[in-house]
Every structure is written in C-alpha cells, then in structure tokens.
Amino acid sequence: GMTANLTVTTARKTGVLALPFRAIEKNNTKYMATVLQSDGARAIREITVGLRGSSGLVEIISGLADGEKVLMPVAK
C-alpha cells in the first residue's frame, strides 16, 4: 500500500528561446511561426524546434530572434 511521486528529467537547457507549442504551426514536415514585423506586416517563418517541455513550451533553435513578436494562429 505504498505510493511514490517521481520527477524524471530527461533533458534540461537554460537560456534558450522558447514559444508555447500552440503558437507553432506544422506544415507537412516543417514548423512555422507568424511574426509581426515593425511595419505591421505579418511574415511566416520556417523555424527549427528542439526540446519540448511538460509546461507546453518548445525550444526554438533557429528561425526567430529574441524580442520578435510571434502571433498566435487563428483556430480553423
């Protein structure tokens, strides 16, 4: 009748750029994010993702820079 609570850490990184997974769209095998540019236009960028955390955040390896504004996709 004994129980235990475990936390298993498979990978950990600090100081990375991350987005909520719901802000990323998948187009076939590519991951995309919509960025709001300084002139108000929208640009779709291909991004490379890395680790995915249990909190719903996904590491962004390339395709975005710190400080860029990413728009959430509209439900279809």
Side-chain angles (χ1 to χ4, degrees):
M2 297 168 82
T3 62
N5 294 322
L6 298 175
T7 300
V8 178
T9 303
T10 57
R12 176 174 286 184
K13 288 187 179 180
T14 59
V16 298
L17 186 62
L19 283 178
F21 188 72
R22 64 183 185 275
I24 300 170
E25 296 185 82
K26 190 170 182 184
N27 184 355
N28 294 321
T29 59
K30 299 178 181 181
Y31 291 97
M32 315 296 275
T34 304
V35 177
L36 183 63
Q37 298 178 349
S38 59
D39 63 359
R42 297 174 185 208
I44 298 175
R45 300 252 188 91
E46 182 177 346
I47 59 174
T48 304
V49 299
L51 295 176
R52 182 174 180 179
S54 59
S55 65
L57 293 178
V58 178
E59 174 190 16
I60 305 301
I61 296 173
S62 67
L64 295 174
D66 188 22
E68 290 187 296
K69 295 180 181 179
V70 177
L71 301 173
M72 299 295 281
V74 177
K76 297 176 183 176

